[in-house]
Amino acid sequence: MHASNGNNTTQMRVDKSPRDTVGHGTHTASIAAGAIVANASYHGLAQGTARGGSPFFRIAAYKVCSEDGCPGSTILKAIDDAVKDGVDIISISIGTSAFLQSDFLKDPIAIGAFHAEQMGVMVVCSGGNEGPDPFTVTNAAPWIFTVAASNIDRGFHSKVLLGNGRIFQGSAINFSNLTRTETYPLAYGKDIAAKYSPIPEARSCYPGSLDPEKVKGKIIVCFDSFPVVSRTIKKLVAEDAKAKGLILINENDESAPFDSGPFPFTEVGTTIGYKILKYINSNKNPSAIILPTVEIPRIKPAPVVAYFSSRGPSVLTENILKPDIMAPGVAILGAVTPKDEEEGASNGEKPGGYALESGTSMACPHVTGASALVKSVHPKWTSSMIRSALMTTATVYDNMRKPMTNSSASFATPHEMGVGEISPVKALNPGLVFETTTEDYLRFLCYNGSPEKTIRSMSKTKFKCPTKSSDDLISNINYPSISISKLEKSKGFLTIKRSVTNVGHPNVTYTSTVQAPMGMKVKVLPKKITFLENVKRVSFKVLFGGSEASSGYNFGSITWSAAQYSVRTVFAVNVE
């Protein structure tokens, strides 16, 4: 776990010391606030000057995980220690499975983060790596800044050369010493199955399913079926059987590049995969070669929502939009703790201090670094003001100037990317911010069904829940985005309230514009809001009508504009 002025939580093997023996915490900490280092690379890949998001912030690191897991008591202690140590931002790159997560007042990260928020310390968390299914986002409490992952405009590709001269491009990070001058026999998993092995297992390189004698000396082709069997295990299956390489066909067609070290490996989509299988089936002696990884710059489109990035809405409540925001999380270069023995580019090479890693764990510290940048310019801003600044200035366009997409090439929705990709420099001058107070969060807990007695005990306050408490009222919490879990077509307009605080020019008038999906009626009242010297905070209402809208979730946005300011609020409305 690291903290900026700072904290990053991570899974690590315990060795009776605070040393990061896995490298995850070091990697994420360097992304948030690592020093500027020239000529950094991962064995020559991604070479350039490395720097964290806020390299002049100080880092405090707290080790909370061991080979036995991450005890809740240790997480709570680390967060308490970080707050006492005077950190400004806590960055937590861990989380449980979406289907195992506890209620907000039973989850140690949510409880610890609430206490940190009470003390004015911002908490940023990874949203999880269980995508692309909906309802998989974790760390979804409204007082937590929840981050999704995107790719960047840099790829790592490894070509497959078939014996018939055809060349296909796959995704991989491998440092094999194979060249174009040598080829090896090519075989499909099901054709080299061990005796009595089920065909579905053999075609997927399932452990124990392949005949080592038939595998030896060949490049093998397998499907990435059986999600419980990771790419690491499939690679080990091929390596242990003395294969000369592995071509993995990913039926989902999109994934983060897998680091196979010196073992020849590449991953292709189903379209290319079936062409390779067709070649195998139509030749008596099929052959191939897998070439070492080449870095591909300026990839388009980018950013794209990472396939693995967990999606909303949250299983705990659909009336807060989660994830909040998106940041780079695919093949990110970051520092790691050097090991005495490292599976690296080639034998005898010195262990490196950097690695390429993927996950919302890597996206989270990007937002931590961006938050620290905003905090450095606006030291008196609260965590909710910083979060709002980043959310309302995020971009929803890629480097082709088109709306961002997901890994299936469909337009990305707020349940996939939150409000969009971070734009840290724009967040330094957002114009308006949505301030979410501790009282908002306490009301949220009431509306979500938590007992008043438990809320008082957890918050150490004498807070009283409102007379009316229902899950629907959560949508009125003063959050920078809007989510409505149920808008009934037959019940006319639903009114949502918000207020904004002026942090820009003192005398200014903002005008609202609405981008609504077809059939949905969205009205903003008043349409214009004015701030004067003595008027810092203004409230407004948004009316949603779904009588003619499509059933299911509808997405859109409300933008307040004035001079150079553009303050965008995303909404997600489930019409029934």
Side-chain angles (χ1 to χ4, degrees):
M1 169 167 154
H2 64 252
S4 284
N5 140 331
N7 172 326
N8 161 21
T9 309
T10 175
Q11 290 190 4
M12 308 173 187
R13 294 178 64 85
V14 70
D15 60 355
K16 303 285 187 181
S17 88
R19 183 176 171 81
D20 175 8
T21 52
V22 167
H24 182 277
T26 303
H27 195 270
T28 49
S30 73
I31 293 169
I36 299 170
V37 180
N39 266 333
S41 75
Y42 180 52
H43 301 300
L45 294 177
Q47 189 160 16
T49 299
R51 67 185 294 277
S54 292
F56 302 109
F57 262 57
R58 290 175 291 170
I59 298 171
Y62 303 80
K63 186 172 180 178
V64 304
C65 297
S66 74
E67 58 188 358
D68 298 321
C70 309
S73 57
T74 311
I75 292 172
L76 285 167
K77 183 69 169 68
I79 293 173
D80 282 347
D81 285 350
V83 173
K84 289 175 184 175
D85 291 341
V87 307
D88 295 306
I89 303 167
I90 299 176
S91 184
I92 304 178
S93 285
I94 62 171
T96 187
S97 166
F99 303 105
L100 297 176
Q101 62 183 318
S102 304
D103 180 74
F104 295 118
L105 293 188
K106 293 178 182 176
D107 173 31
I109 293 178
I111 294 169
F114 182 88
H115 289 153
E117 171 65 29
Q118 275 188 305
M119 300 300 290
V121 178
M122 186 175 194
V123 179
V124 186
C125 288
S126 53
N129 302 324
E130 296 184 326
D133 294 331
F135 297 99
T136 51
V137 68
T138 60
N139 295 324
W143 51 85
I144 290 174
F145 202 0
T146 312
V147 187
S150 64
N151 76 339
I152 58 176
D153 62 348
R154 176 179 65 203
F156 299 99
H157 294 167
S158 176
K159 290 181 179 178
V160 177
L161 277 63
L162 301 182
N164 63 1
R166 297 200 70 180
I167 300 173
F168 296 111
Q169 189 163 264
S171 171
I173 298 171
N174 81 67
F175 302 96
S176 79
N177 55 10
L178 302 184
T179 66
R180 292 171 181 261
T181 59
E182 50 190 330
T183 60
Y184 295 94
L186 185 64
Y188 181 27
K190 78 177 183 66
D191 299 328
I192 49 176
K195 199 172 184 180
Y196 307 123
S197 285
I199 294 301
E201 292 187 5
R203 71 192 287 272
S204 302
C205 288
Y206 198 88
S209 66
L210 302 180
D211 184 337
E213 289 302 315
K214 294 179 181 178
V215 172
K216 189 176 181 181
K218 295 183 176 70
I219 290 175
I220 61 175
V221 182
C222 291
F223 274 88
D224 191 19
S225 308
F226 294 100
V228 292
V229 182
S230 68
R231 292 180 293 184
T232 300
I233 293 175
K234 294 178 193 295
K235 173 239 180 183
L236 290 173
V237 167
E239 206 168 19
D240 289 346
K242 302 294 190 293
K244 285 293 183 179
L246 171 62
I247 299 170
L248 199 60
I249 301 172
N250 188 330
E251 293 175 320
N252 299 306
D253 202 31
E254 291 289 340
S255 192
F258 173 66
D259 184 356
S260 65
F263 183 73
F265 170 91
T266 195
E267 190 168 14
V268 299
T270 49
T271 302
I272 292 175
Y274 284 121
K275 289 178 180 178
I276 294 173
L277 294 180
K278 184 179 179 181
Y279 164 70
I280 292 173
N281 293 330
S282 60
N283 284 268
K284 285 186 178 181
N285 298 301
S287 62
I289 194 69
I290 299 172
L291 295 179
T293 293
V294 175
E295 181 180 330
I296 308 296
R298 295 182 291 279
I299 282 180
K300 293 182 179 180
V304 170
V305 182
Y307 175 80
F308 58 77
S309 186
S310 290
R311 268 59 165 177
S314 167
V315 295
L316 299 178
T317 177
E318 294 186 41
N319 289 309
I320 294 289
L321 180 60
K322 291 288 179 171
D324 288 308
I325 203 163
M326 188 167 69
V330 175
I332 304 301
L333 184 76
V336 291
T337 46
K339 298 178 177 65
D340 292 333
E341 295 180 8
E342 180 180 335
E343 192 174 283
S346 61
N347 293 333
E349 183 170 324
K350 290 182 180 179
Y354 284 83
L356 291 163
E357 302 287 350
S358 301
T360 54
S361 283
M362 286 69 236
C364 169
H366 275 91
V367 174
T368 304
S371 300
L373 173 67
V374 178
K375 182 76 172 177
S376 69
V377 175
H378 303 286
K380 293 184 179 179
W381 279 14
T382 65
S383 57
S384 70
M385 294 169 76
I386 295 170
R387 177 180 60 198
S388 174
L390 284 161
M391 287 178 67
T392 59
T393 58
T395 181
V396 291
Y397 294 99
D398 61 26
N399 56 3
M400 297 174 71
R401 296 184 180 180
K402 294 181 179 179
M404 275 192 278
T405 55
N406 57 27
S407 54
S408 300
S410 302
F411 289 133
T413 73
H415 283 154
E416 297 172 313
M417 64 176 178
V419 297
E421 183 89 353
I422 55 169
S423 298
V425 175
K426 288 183 181 178
L428 298 176
N429 189 21
L432 304 175
V433 293
F434 293 80
E435 291 188 78
T436 317
T437 65
T438 299
E439 188 172 332
D440 282 320
Y441 299 136
L442 293 174
R443 288 205 311 273
F444 162 82
L445 290 168
C446 294
Y447 299 153
N448 198 48
S450 297
E452 184 178 81
K453 185 178 179 181
T454 307
I455 296 171
R456 287 183 174 188
S457 175
M458 188 272 295
S459 63
K460 295 181 180 178
T461 64
K462 295 181 179 179
F463 180 79
K464 289 186 177 182
C465 281
T467 306
K468 288 185 177 180
S469 282
S470 72
D471 189 63
D472 295 340
L473 294 172
I474 291 173
S475 299
N476 277 313
I477 297 296
N478 199 44
Y479 209 70
S481 57
I482 296 172
S483 186
I484 300 170
S485 64
K486 186 170 66 174
L487 178 66
E488 296 182 39
K489 290 186 177 185
S490 60
K491 290 196 174 180
F493 282 91
L494 176 67
T495 301
I496 299 298
K497 299 175 183 177
R498 287 292 187 270
S499 64
V500 283
T501 303
N502 184 20
V503 292
H505 295 313
N507 297 293
V508 62
T509 296
Y510 283 83
T511 303
S512 64
T513 54
V514 174
Q515 185 179 20
M518 189 176 295
M520 175 167 280
K521 296 178 181 177
V522 182
K523 299 177 182 178
V524 180
L525 300 174
K527 190 172 181 180
K528 293 185 177 183
I529 53 176
T530 300
F531 295 89
L532 304 172
E533 290 281 359
N534 60 340
V535 179
K536 294 289 184 183
R537 188 178 174 102
V538 172
S539 297
F540 64 92
K541 296 176 181 179
V542 186
L543 281 64
F544 293 92
S547 60
E548 299 174 19
S550 300
S551 296
Y553 267 101
N554 289 252
F555 305 102
S557 64
I558 301 151
T559 302
W560 291 101
S561 304
Q564 77 267 38
Y565 300 119
S566 181
V567 186
R568 184 171 175 271
T569 298
V570 170
F571 61 77
V573 181
N574 188 21
V575 177
E576 294 184 349

